Amino acid sequence: MNATAPSPPVAAEGAGDAPWHRLDRRMLLIRPFLDLVKSLPVLVGALVLGHGNHWQWIGLAATAVTIGVGVSHCLTSRYRVTATQIEWHTGLLLRKQRAIPLDRIRAVDVLSEPKHRLFSLSAVRIGTGRHDHGKGPGKDQLVLDAVTRAEAQRLRTLLLHRKPAGPEAAHPPESLVAEVDKRWVRYAPFTLSGLAVVAAILGTVYHFAHELHFDPTSFGPLRDLTARALEQPVWLTVVLAAAGLLVLVSVLSVGGYVLSFWNFRLTREPGGTLHIRRGLITTRSVSIEEDRLRGVEIKEPLPLRMVGGAKCVAVAAGLREGKGADRGGGLLLPPAPAGKAREIVGEVLGEDFANVPLVRHSRRALTRRITRAVFSVLALSAALFALARLEVLPEWPWQAALVLLPFAVLVGFDRYRSLGHAITGRYLVTRSGSLARTTVAVRRDRLTGIVVHRSFFQRRAGLVTVIAPVAAGRGHYRVLDVEEGAGLALADTAVPGLLTPFLAGPEKP
């Protein structure tokens, strides 16, 4: 059995009568096993709980159907690239057909998970750029989940660059923009990614222990550890637990950084395409055409900002926003020195953003930032006070909440210090946030409009929020709490002429 079909002549590729290609047959060696693993909960439940009745056979039949569907998908899937679209057919009993016009393709994402790398295969995700926040492939995404690496590269070149397969087209010369430095791993503990892993593990363990009525602290080493913790002072237990959690989170964060960003390379291909490769075990390759680049965002979460770190994300049409493998498709630089992040932004956008002076907002914005932060703490304390009066909670929670007031003032002041905006060249630059500070530069000529928003309290303070809508990234970016006159002038400069009819006075007779 041949692993791959012979490559068609170059002249036939992209023509109206282009030949059909099939998925790599080596996927048949691992697809049944993967489907069996996914069906294990059903299979085990049927064999254990359904022993001796018809549920056992139903579970076995469901597992067999799942494996059969997977095998059928591998055997019947075929695709081709014509002059106008990419076509895909699959199914034995239930036939499915998809066609995506070439001019609607916005992204070609090449992913190689361990199951693919075992046989030097890749999965190619072809998207039209519409956002999909659900799980799994969206309606506007076509997935070819078993092709050779050479075929994946050929498809990426053909679909993005509209060039036929060939040695020069498959391996165009690239210029290096950025690559990971091993020393950057020191920023990993400050991303707090390990905290999410620990929370997920503890939540899963607690859920299963609760369902099985099992108390882990009653057995083995955990029992001795719990008894020892109860014997020592409370403050010492808290300190030791915090230190242990900090070490565990740091180790997991470093491990996640290495697995996700090792071998990271950002390159620029001739013709204006940014190519991102990253990953140690699961590798990923994403291409972003610079014509679809709407801007770049610098993200500085507070822990990362405290050690002078930041990361860069592209604001580009065609990048999916979602979970799992779709997350971080537009990552231009992993957590790295903030100076390096600003340097990469300038390299990608072609303008110097390292020394762009941002316009500071007025003292009215400072008052509003602090007021909002303090009011949030007071509202929390009032709610806890009401629950204490109803004897639902003790008295100390609402009193402890008041201790957060000084920290609320500091957060409000820091949020004000982070506010800033500027117009530089083709870009509107805005910065905001404290716990998660972001600085974004978006192209003014790609904005879909401009919105000037005022809430009731902003009107009383003489402030406005200028909103820049763009068909990419989060969909819109805000310039928060700028003085009314300055905000209207900023909006008129960002999109010249759009607000002129509204800003001009009434015509004299």
Side-chain angles (χ1 to χ4, degrees):
M1 180 174 60
N2 293 330
T4 57
S7 299
V10 173
E13 193 67 40
D17 57 347
W20 289 93
H21 302 267
R22 294 187 179 275
L23 299 181
D24 197 288
R25 299 298 178 86
R26 284 175 290 185
M27 197 65 178
L28 291 172
L29 299 176
I30 55 176
R31 180 62 184 264
F33 174 75
L34 296 175
D35 290 335
L36 179 62
V37 172
K38 293 179 181 178
S39 302
L40 275 181
V42 176
L43 186 60
V44 172
L47 294 177
V48 175
L49 302 179
H51 182 69
N53 56 44
H54 64 280
W55 289 108
Q56 178 178 354
W57 299 108
I58 293 178
L60 291 173
T63 303
V65 169
T66 301
I67 296 176
V69 170
V71 172
S72 173
H73 172 79
C74 294
L75 292 176
T76 61
S77 292
R78 56 197 183 109
Y79 63 93
R80 69 173 181 175
V81 181
T82 68
T84 58
Q85 62 187 11
I86 178 171
E87 303 174 3
W88 173 74
H89 295 175
T90 189
L92 183 61
L93 300 178
L94 180 62
R95 298 286 296 173
K96 296 181 180 179
Q97 300 181 6
R98 290 281 306 279
I100 299 179
L102 298 183
D103 57 2
R104 288 189 57 200
I105 294 176
R106 298 293 183 266
V108 178
D109 194 344
V110 180
L111 186 70
S112 295
E113 298 178 345
K115 64 182 180 181
H116 296 113
R117 299 187 69 180
L118 186 63
F119 296 104
S120 299
L121 302 177
S122 297
V124 179
R125 301 187 176 201
I126 304 165
T128 61
R130 292 183 58 183
H131 291 178
D132 184 0
H133 294 273
K135 296 182 179 179
K139 294 181 180 180
D140 292 277
Q141 188 182 46
L142 175 61
V143 179
L144 306 176
D145 55 0
V147 298
T148 63
R149 294 176 181 174
E151 175 67 2
Q153 180 67 25
R154 185 187 70 86
L155 286 173
R156 190 183 73 86
T157 302
L158 179 62
L159 297 176
L160 288 180
H161 301 287
R162 309 294 190 265
K163 296 178 181 179
E168 296 182 358
H171 303 281
E174 301 176 338
S175 59
L176 180 65
V177 178
E179 62 180 344
V180 72
D181 188 328
K182 296 179 180 179
R183 293 174 295 180
W184 296 350
V185 76
R186 68 181 184 271
Y187 294 104
F190 301 95
T191 62
L192 301 183
S193 58
L195 187 61
V197 177
V198 172
I201 293 175
L202 292 179
T204 302
V205 171
Y206 173 81
H207 173 74
F208 280 103
H210 179 74
E211 292 293 329
L212 298 174
H213 302 286
F214 172 73
D215 184 6
T217 61
S218 301
F219 300 90
L222 286 179
R223 178 181 57 188
D224 300 334
L225 184 62
T226 303
R228 189 179 306 170
L230 294 176
E231 294 174 356
Q232 61 190 12
V234 176
W235 68 268
L236 182 58
T237 301
V238 172
V239 170
L240 292 177
L245 180 62
L246 181 61
V247 172
L248 181 59
V249 167
S250 299
V251 170
L252 292 176
S253 298
V254 170
Y257 191 99
V258 172
L259 292 176
S260 299
F261 306 126
W262 217 242
N263 301 321
F264 178 93
R265 285 174 60 87
L266 171 64
T267 58
R268 176 179 277 114
E269 298 177 352
T273 299
L274 296 174
H275 193 190
I276 306 163
R277 304 178 184 89
R278 63 182 178 91
L280 183 63
I281 296 178
T282 297
T283 62
R284 188 174 186 183
S285 173
V286 180
S287 298
I288 305 174
E289 292 188 0
E290 294 188 76
D291 287 341
R292 301 187 178 106
L293 192 66
R294 303 295 182 260
V296 174
E297 187 173 5
I298 299 178
K299 297 187 176 183
E300 301 172 274
L302 181 60
L304 192 59
R305 178 157 55 103
M306 292 175 62
V307 293
K311 60 181 179 180
C312 296
V313 179
V315 179
L319 292 181
R320 287 165 48 83
E321 293 184 351
K323 299 180 179 181
D326 295 318
R327 182 181 298 165
L331 186 71
L332 297 178
L333 191 71
K340 183 66 175 180
R342 290 188 288 269
E343 178 185 333
I344 295 304
V345 170
E347 179 70 21
V348 170
L349 298 183
E351 296 190 21
D352 182 16
F353 283 90
N355 301 308
V356 173
L358 299 182
V359 177
R360 296 290 298 271
H361 292 193
S362 69
R363 306 288 291 185
R364 299 175 186 175
L366 172 61
T367 303
R368 177 170 164 77
R369 295 292 100 190
I370 294 179
T371 301
R372 287 168 60 94
V374 170
F375 178 78
S376 299
V377 173
L378 293 178
L380 174 62
S381 180
L384 295 175
F385 177 80
L387 292 176
R389 286 292 173 265
L390 296 174
E391 299 183 352
V392 177
L393 292 176
E395 294 286 336
W396 65 265
W398 73 267
Q399 298 171 354
L402 294 177
V403 179
L404 298 176
L405 280 176
F407 298 98
V409 174
L410 291 176
V411 170
F413 182 72
D414 188 59
R415 292 189 67 189
Y416 166 74
R417 289 180 65 247
S418 297
L419 291 179
H421 66 273
I423 296 288
T424 173
R426 299 180 299 166
Y427 295 92
L428 166 66
V429 183
T430 177
R431 186 180 67 189
S432 63
S434 175
L435 301 180
R437 189 170 77 178
T438 59
T439 305
V440 61
V442 290
R443 286 185 57 172
R444 295 187 290 134
D445 58 343
R446 298 303 176 90
L447 298 180
T448 57
I450 202 75
V451 178
V452 179
H453 172 79
R454 290 191 303 175
S455 67
F456 171 77
F457 296 103
Q458 283 180 316
R459 287 199 299 270
R460 293 178 61 86
L463 302 174
V464 298
T465 293
V466 179
I467 304 174
V470 60
R474 286 180 285 163
H476 63 272
Y477 296 91
R478 301 172 180 265
V479 182
L480 295 173
D481 290 344
V482 61
E483 286 191 350
E484 183 175 347
L488 294 176
L490 173 67
D492 188 50
T493 305
V495 185
L498 185 62
L499 294 182
T500 301
F502 303 96
L503 298 178
E507 295 183 1
K508 296 182 180 180

